Amino acid sequence: MLNFTSIDELQSAMRERRYIAERGLATSLYLALKLHRPLFLEGEAGVGKTEVGKVLAALLDTDLIRLQCYEGLDVHHAVYEWNYTRQMMHIRLLEASGEKANEAELFGSEFLLRRPLLQAIEQSKEKPPVLLIDELDRSDEEFEAFLLEVLSDFQITIPEIGTIKTNNPPVVIVTSNRTREVHDALKRRCLYYWIDYPSFEKELEIVQTQLPDAPVQLARQITGFIQELREMDLYKLPGVAETLDWTTALVALDQTALDPVIVDETLGAVLKYQDDVEKVKGEQARLILERVKAGVD
């Protein structure tokens, strides 16, 4: 499924889709496509990991199948389960006609509810989708262990049916916010890339690319303010997603530049914990804004 002849071509294509990718990320994606290996993306929340899967699916003109991980995620929600309601209806219809259902008939593929992992394996036989396994660190270690078969052999075993396998694997993007360490056995099956917070120049480019109508002075001041916040001892540092959210909010308020009042009134678009808001607003925000204006205006 390698639709790109070079890393530069892939990086340029991502930029056209308004995703500003570092050379290292573009290289990792290129290798993942060429070698048919999953790509494990790690980094703080809001730095653009999930967006990689979305952009890649658009570039490859294929479906995006997303598995959002959470605590307690199991095979029934991630892979498959049986459609018990349909099975019962089938049994009753047979009984009404004087027939009797056999077990093999009840556990055929027509009674199977396909969840994201099975969908990705089966769909790959026609046109490989992008399988986004998002925030794997939120799932349990038991589910992580189950993924080893999927990521190693691109196959799923269903006891009643057998092993479903594809020789044309999906493009797999696995993301983690590193709320816990993912086991080495899974990481060994993937290429790895850490997406860090961007520099001022890159983040400004992201803002101007995603929100071209934002006033230049406002975009520069917001980016500088966010960069300053990331140097503070906050419970949750703002990601690029928050930078874009704040810019969108201020543009909606017809702001062309930051001032202390508007900063205090809109900090909820940037900081998601009250302790962080209290630490920043007021005098601290005013001091940050003075430094920002002195540095970027």
Side-chain angles (χ1 to χ4, degrees), residues 44-157:
E44 300 294 339
V47 294
K49 303 182 298 296
T50 299
E51 197 65 23
V52 170
K54 296 177 181 178
V55 170
L56 197 57
L59 290 178
L60 297 174
D61 190 26
T62 191
D63 291 337
L64 174 70
I65 298 177
R66 179 175 178 176
L67 174 62
Q68 179 62 53
C69 298
Y70 54 88
E71 186 177 354
L73 178 65
D74 59 16
V75 171
H76 297 305
H77 293 92
V79 189
Y80 75 96
E81 63 179 321
W82 294 105
N83 190 334
Y84 297 114
T85 302
R86 188 173 178 185
Q87 286 173 327
M88 288 301 299
M89 290 177 61
H90 185 71
I91 291 172
R92 288 170 182 170
L93 285 172
L94 289 175
E95 289 176 346
S97 62
E99 299 180 42
K100 188 175 182 180
N102 60 66
E103 184 175 341
E105 183 181 2
L106 287 173
F107 289 94
S109 61
E110 66 269 25
F111 296 104
L112 199 62
L113 294 175
R114 292 156 175 82
R115 303 308 186 198
L117 295 182
L118 182 56
Q119 288 174 21
I121 294 297
E122 288 193 333
Q123 194 168 320
S124 290
K125 296 174 183 178
E126 299 177 4
K127 183 176 184 180
V130 171
L131 172 61
L132 174 61
I133 303 174
D134 211 10
E135 298 184 323
L136 178 61
D137 53 315
R138 294 183 179 275
S139 67
D140 303 320
E141 292 185 5
E142 290 80 4
F143 176 72
E144 187 182 320
F146 173 81
L147 277 180
L148 296 180
E149 179 186 21
V150 178
L151 298 184
S152 293
D153 304 317
F154 293 103
Q155 66 180 31
I156 290 171
T157 301

Side-chain angles (χ1 to χ4, degrees), residues 201-224:
E201 290 77 14
K202 181 183 176 183
E203 191 158 18
L204 178 60
E205 185 178 4
I206 292 171
V207 171
Q208 293 176 324
T209 300
Q210 293 286 337
L211 302 168
D213 294 332
V216 174
Q217 184 183 39
L218 179 66
R220 291 181 63 84
Q221 290 179 355
I222 288 174
T223 304

Side-chain angles (χ1 to χ4, degrees), residues 274-292:
Q274 182 60 22
D275 289 347
D276 288 346
V277 172
E278 292 295 331
K279 187 177 290 188
V280 172
K281 75 176 184 179
E283 182 63 16
Q284 183 64 49
R286 186 185 64 79
L287 293 173
I288 293 174
L289 189 53
E290 286 181 359
R291 292 197 298 271
V292 168

